[in-house]
Amino acid sequence: MAHDFPSFGDPHGGSSPELSREAVLAAVEARLITTFGEPSGRAAVTFLGTDRIEVLRFGPDAEGLVRYATLGMSAAPMADPTAPVADQLRGPRAELVLTVRGGRDGVLRSLATFAATPQVEGLVVAPGGSLDLGSPLWDGAPFTSVLAAEPGGLVEDLELAEPAEPVRFLPLLPMTPNEAGWKRVHGAAALQERWLEHGTDLRDPQRRGVKLD
């Protein structure tokens, strides 16, 4: 899977009960339920050599929007790629949220794949970066990659016990192959500006790519 996030170093460090995998994920799930209500479905995926990643489905809501949120990526921090060793307590933590009008449950495995990249490929997933699956996000999708957007607008950051950083919930914006290539050259802000200029509905599962010339 292609990506443009930095790699990070080897894991090292201690842990605390308040920051155990179980405690963090219970708090994350509670925050998601507070925001979106009870899940309408859930699935779990385990990749070789990684901890389990769940994907929760919420909705559809009154507007027909379905939210898919990962659960498991934030169990451990993503380490600073410049650090010689990774700190098991300090470092950014994140989960991923995708909104699709009408829903597309075929995206569940794609989202789990993205959420597992910090464990599998040693990446720090951050706003402005992108992840390329190399194949449609779901059967028939015109998108093969996603842009990680700024957190806070959809789900508030979740504060954890010190010294851990908050869990941030990063919205994922699907990109067509042409948009992904244009973004690599011109940057995430320029692509988002194009979307805004053209009134692009990024929640439309069958939208066409934005005009880029």
Side-chain angles (χ1 to χ4, degrees), residues 116-151:
T117 53
Q119 296 184 63
V120 175
E121 299 187 31
L123 306 176
V124 175
V125 181
S130 58
L131 287 165
D132 191 338
L133 192 65
S135 58
L137 298 185
W138 58 83
D139 287 344
F143 319 107
T144 58
S145 60
V146 293
L147 171 67
E150 291 291 336

Side-chain angles (χ1 to χ4, degrees), residues 32 36 56 58 66-70 94-100 111 146-149 154-155 168-174:
L32 290 169
F36 299 130
L56 309 185
F58 299 90
V66 177
R67 322 278 189 183
Y68 298 96
T70 63
E95 296 289 356
L96 309 175
V97 182
L98 176 70
T99 302
V100 182
L111 290 179
V146 293
L147 171 67
L154 192 59
V155 185
R168 302 196 296 172
F169 298 85
L170 304 179
L172 297 183
L173 310 178

